[in-house]
Amino acid sequence: SRLYFAVVYWIWKRVIRRYASERTSGREPLHFLEVGCGAGNFLCCLENWFHDGKITAIDTERELLEYSSGRTRSTTFLQCSAQALSFRDETFDVLSALQVIEHFPEPEKFLADASRVLRKEGLLLLSTPNTHGLAARLLKKRWQGFRHDHISLRSPAQWRQTLERNGFEILNEGTTLLNGIPIVGRFPVSMPFQLLQAVFGWFPWYLGESYMAVCRKESRN
């Protein structure tokens, strides 16, 4: 499973090295915050990719935090809500919120707080279900993105506007492929699509399953 997730998340490694590492020029380790760490799959990748990185992870579920801590080596875990981040201003270089923001009743408040805890020109890594994707259009109410706890679903255009209004410059964006369609999204059928994404990055269309964005905190914030 670690190999599978290394492929799935490989594009994030590339964008972090491109946009965050060039800002620090390798002078100091990157400080990461993962919001909604879940089972720790992305954390395991971060630890392997950035050996000197300082990683903090938060989640509301104690069981998930305990499980994730058993899979990682050096990550610091905190049980808290992401709606009010309890960290000092300008603490982190990279904040990841992967498949998380759609759970928040007020995404704008989260983005404002994310901007606060990020250092100048820090990165926000965002992924969220795409309501305009092909799977959503074809499956309608049967689409996996329509869940009771997904209370803030928006289109890519709406997310772009929300991000820009809250002081983020979008550096890289796109959508994934068609993993929301059940047959295509199951392993091992999904692997060729994951490999394509790992090599070429996200795709410049708006029919994919998830909207993906790399955003930089604007220097004036």
Side-chain angles (χ1 to χ4, degrees):
S1 65
R2 289 192 180 232
L3 177 60
Y4 173 78
F5 285 110
V7 173
V8 170
Y9 293 128
W10 187 259
I11 180 60
W12 295 116
K13 176 185 178 181
R14 290 166 52 192
V15 297
I16 293 169
R17 290 207 181 277
R18 176 179 178 183
Y19 296 114
S21 298
E22 72 180 13
R23 182 176 63 82
T24 62
S25 301
R27 292 189 301 270
E28 59 183 55
L30 292 170
H31 289 240
F32 295 88
L33 173 63
E34 186 177 22
V35 174
C37 65
N41 296 314
F42 189 52
L43 292 175
C44 292
C45 292
L46 287 176
E47 287 192 346
N48 289 330
W49 294 334
F50 302 93
H51 298 292
D52 61 346
K54 308 297 182 183
I55 305 172
T56 302
I58 65 173
D59 205 292
T60 57
E61 301 293 332
R62 178 173 296 277
E63 293 81 4
L64 288 173
L65 292 170
E66 292 174 351
Y67 180 76
S68 297
S69 66
R71 303 180 64 202
T72 55
R73 302 181 302 272
S74 57
T75 297
T76 300
F77 291 91
L78 296 172
Q79 183 179 12
C80 62
S81 170
Q83 285 285 272
L85 297 172
S86 55
F87 302 100
R88 295 179 181 176
D89 295 359
E90 299 189 4
T91 299
F92 301 101
D93 300 294
V94 180
L95 187 156
S96 57
L98 308 183
Q99 305 297 321
V100 169
I101 199 169
E102 63 273 7
H103 296 270
F104 298 154
E106 297 178 286
E108 289 79 5
K109 285 190 175 182
F110 165 71
L111 292 174
D113 221 20
S115 178
R116 179 185 64 79
V117 302
L118 280 170
R119 294 173 177 172
K120 289 183 179 180
E121 299 187 344
L123 293 185
L124 169 67
L125 313 181
L126 181 73
S127 70
T128 186
N130 176 21
T131 56
H132 283 202
L134 186 61
R137 296 182 183 191
L138 291 176
L139 298 175
K140 301 187 183 301
K141 292 183 179 180
R142 294 181 291 115
W143 178 51
Q144 63 182 1
F146 290 136
R147 295 173 19 181
H148 73 280
D149 55 339
H150 286 182
I151 56 179
S152 292
L153 292 171
R154 302 180 184 182
S155 70
Q158 290 171 323
W159 280 122
R160 188 185 307 110
Q161 293 172 358
T162 301
L163 289 162
E164 291 174 347
R165 281 199 305 267
N166 285 275
F168 287 97
E169 174 192 2
I170 298 175
L171 303 174
N172 194 324
E173 66 173 349
T175 67
T176 57
L177 288 172
L178 304 175
N179 51 304
I181 297 174
I183 296 176
V184 176
R186 291 175 184 162
F187 182 83
V189 177
S190 63
M191 277 306 295
F193 300 102
Q194 299 293 354
L195 289 169
L196 280 174
Q197 183 174 290
V199 173
F200 296 106
W202 306 304
F203 297 87
W205 69 333
Y206 292 102
L207 294 177
E209 178 66 10
S210 293
Y211 172 64
M212 320 290 277
V214 181
C215 313
R216 178 165 55 201
K217 175 182 174 178
E218 293 183 349
S219 57
R220 70 174 182 268
N221 293 332

